Amino acid sequence: MFHIPSFDPLAQAEVVSAGQLLRQRGTRPDSVLYLDSGCVVLGVRGEGQMRHQLGVVEGPAWLDAAFALTGKPCGVDMVTDSRVRLRRISLSSFQSSLDALPDTVATLVRDMAQGYCQQTETAVSRLAQDAETRCAQWLLRHAQHDVNGTLRVTLNQRKRTIAAQLGIAPETFSRVLRHLREHGLIAGTGNVLNLPQPSALQSVAGI
């Protein structure tokens, strides 16, 4: 969208360790973050940890430019997933660079930012659906009958990958599986999970 040197040349790069909160949902920062390198998780935090994961951004990339362009508060929490290198660009420098663009280009950029913000708002609103419900739906969708007619699910992907597909943190996915296991809705060890009470699991899934 913009080439980073066109902004404040005095914006020094800084290094941030993994697990640090860069942006809090609902806030209006006085700067814009440009990620030189590293990985940042986008989502919704709760009780001090990422409860729902919406996506991952890898540098080089802008992190919160869309919200700054539209004047909206940050729509997601942003947490470093690795050691990152980033720059903080003042809002005044960011706006000045935008004002220097041709009107048609500036309009296009703002329209794209508006669309991104709307998509983010929609994604966050969908998180109202309980994580346990989404996990139950995923288990039933991937279930297969074994030779004895019992339903079972084979986890062919890492739990971290499955959690990302469900839009939740890996810790949340593990917690939900533990809860379902405690209630007898799943059983088994390792990568193979049995579903001894499919009808009960369907109730959890809202089916």
Side-chain angles (χ1 to χ4, degrees):
M1 184 169 59
F2 300 103
H3 190 245
I4 186 67
S6 67
F7 285 105
D8 187 354
L10 299 179
Q12 298 296 318
E14 59 182 275
V15 175
V16 182
S17 60
Q20 301 302 307
L21 178 64
L22 296 179
R23 287 289 187 254
Q24 184 172 0
R25 189 165 60 100
T27 60
R28 294 178 182 272
D30 58 1
S31 63
V32 185
L33 296 179
Y34 183 83
L35 183 65
D36 282 334
S37 62
C39 184
V40 174
V41 174
L42 311 181
V44 177
R45 295 170 76 244
E47 299 178 358
Q49 61 181 313
M50 190 67 78
R51 292 296 188 188
H52 305 286
Q53 182 174 313
L54 292 174
V56 175
V57 177
E58 295 185 3
W62 290 97
L63 286 177
D64 54 354
F67 303 111
L69 283 166
T70 57
K72 295 178 178 294
C74 192
V76 292
D77 293 310
M78 302 182 178
V79 178
T80 56
D81 195 44
S82 69
R83 182 173 178 270
V84 305
R85 185 174 183 268
L86 55 81
R87 302 172 192 266
R88 299 179 190 271
I89 316 301
S90 67
L91 284 178
S92 58
S93 295
F94 185 80
Q95 187 61 49
S96 295
S97 185
L98 181 65
D99 293 341
L101 295 173
D103 290 343
T104 53
V105 176
T107 298
L108 174 62
V109 169
R110 285 196 173 94
D111 287 347
M112 292 175 65
Q114 184 68 36
Y116 173 84
C117 290
Q118 290 175 347
Q119 289 179 340
T120 301
E121 291 172 0
T122 299
V124 171
S125 68
R126 287 176 178 171
L127 294 179
Q129 185 182 36
D130 187 76
E132 191 171 87
T133 299
R134 277 177 281 154
C135 287
Q137 291 173 348
W138 187 92
L139 289 169
L140 290 168
R141 191 164 58 247
H142 291 81
Q144 295 181 333
H145 289 280
D146 62 12
V147 292
N148 297 318
T150 303
L151 282 176
R152 62 169 48 186
V153 176
T154 302
L155 304 181
N156 294 317
Q157 298 172 303
R158 297 172 58 191
K159 289 183 179 180
R160 185 184 186 88
T161 302
I162 298 173
Q165 294 173 4
L166 294 172
I168 59 179
E171 297 80 8
T172 302
F173 182 58
S174 296
R175 176 174 53 82
V176 170
L177 289 182
R178 184 168 60 251
H179 179 75
L180 294 175
R181 189 185 302 276
E182 290 172 351
H183 285 76
L185 300 183
I186 63 174
T189 58
N191 293 331
V192 178
L193 301 177
N194 296 317
L195 310 182
Q197 301 184 59
S199 58
L201 194 61
Q202 288 176 341
S203 296
V204 175
I207 298 175

